[in-house]
Structure formats: C-alpha cells, structure tokens
Amino acid sequence: MKELSEQLINTVKELFEKKTINYFIGYKKNQNNLLTEPVILSSINECNQLVFNQYCPYNLVKYLITLKNRKGKIGILLKGCDARAFNVLLMQNQISREKIFTIGIECNGQIDFKLSLIHISEPTRPLYISYA
C-alpha cells in the first residue's frame, strides 16, 4: 500500500505541475496517524499528505458538490465502489464532466477499524468488509 500512496502522490504532483488540476480530493492520515480522512488539496506543496490504504472508506464524490462552483479543474481519487455516485451526479447535471479529472483506483474492501482493534493480536488476519 505504501508504494500505491507514493505513486498517487507523484501522479497528483505531476497534475498540479502541468496545471491540469487546481484542486484534488483524496485522503490523508488523521491526527492519530492511523485512520484517514478526506482532504482537499489546492497546491503541489500539500501532495505529500495523500495516502491510500484499507482505512479509506469515505465516498469522496460528495465533495465535488462543494467545489463545483470554483474556477479550474478538480481532480478526485475515485474508487470503483464510488463510481456509481459519480455517474449519478453527472446524470443529474450536478457536476460538469469537463471540470473533473478522475484517478481511478481499485478498492479491495476496507478494514473495519473497530473490529480490527479486537483482533489486534492477529495483525496478519485483518477483517475486510467488501462494499460490492
């Protein structure tokens, strides 16, 4: 997962450098440095915050509504399991496809953090919950 996060960081930095995007919606580690939370980046200097791991359960598509009236192009990390929400916003004309740059990423399920604390003595057997 670490190399996936590094690849994501490099890709988003490149998009900011080429001025392909003005904003990017992704995930960053939260204050306890274990779980993640949504983040909206507006410059290349913020890209090192980005992560993607099995603790990224949130649907980032809803943040497109927040940014839809801003000038410039919006990049978003789009998990396969969230693509339907993205398509619904497009069909309802709530967002403009021309303003969105998507980076698709495979989602193999998420770890339920509360349940994984119960089984902390068995870190090689995390509990995965699939949202298929």
Side-chain angles (χ1 to χ4, degrees), residues 57-83:
Y58 308 105
N59 185 343
L60 300 176
V61 173
K62 67 181 181 178
Y63 295 97
L64 288 171
I65 301 293
T66 306
L67 297 175
K68 74 177 183 177
N69 293 324
R70 295 201 187 172
K71 290 185 180 181
K73 204 160 189 175
I74 305 162
I76 184 168
L77 184 63
L78 189 62
K79 298 182 296 192
C81 46
D82 299 334

Side-chain angles (χ1 to χ4, degrees), residues 1-129:
M1 283 293 182
K2 186 174 181 178
E3 63 187 48
L4 184 59
S5 291
E6 290 172 7
Q7 186 179 5
L8 175 63
I9 290 168
N10 293 334
T11 302
V12 174
K13 279 183 178 180
E14 185 178 322
L15 292 171
F16 273 117
E17 282 174 358
K18 293 181 177 180
K19 303 205 183 304
T20 305
I21 59 172
N22 301 88
Y23 305 96
F24 187 79
I25 305 168
Y27 299 98
K28 70 174 184 174
K29 288 194 176 185
N30 69 359
Q31 292 176 350
N32 67 18
N33 211 25
L34 178 60
L35 300 178
T36 62
E37 62 188 17
V39 63
I40 298 173
L41 309 177
S42 58
S43 77
I44 195 169
N45 301 329
E46 300 171 313
C47 289
N48 289 331
Q49 298 178 52
L50 287 173
V51 297
F52 185 77
N53 58 34
Q54 60 270 44
Y55 294 107
C56 296
Y58 308 105
N59 185 343
L60 300 176
V61 173
K62 67 181 181 178
Y63 295 97
L64 288 171
I65 301 293
T66 306
L67 297 175
K68 74 177 183 177
N69 293 324
R70 295 201 187 172
K71 290 185 180 181
K73 204 160 189 175
I74 305 162
I76 184 168
L77 184 63
L78 189 62
K79 298 182 296 192
C81 46
D82 299 334
R84 184 171 185 194
F86 179 76
N87 289 332
V88 168
L89 290 181
L90 286 174
M91 288 177 10
Q92 294 177 348
N93 295 318
Q94 293 187 37
I95 56 174
S96 170
R97 182 64 181 110
E98 292 77 34
K99 286 189 67 174
I100 312 296
F101 187 96
T102 60
I103 296 178
I105 197 159
E106 183 180 359
C107 177
N108 292 325
Q110 304 295 314
I111 292 180
D112 185 329
F113 180 70
K114 292 174 186 168
L115 290 177
S116 67
L117 285 177
I118 296 169
H119 299 282
I120 201 79
S121 62
E122 299 179 53
T124 57
R125 297 180 58 201
L127 301 174
Y128 285 93
I129 296 179

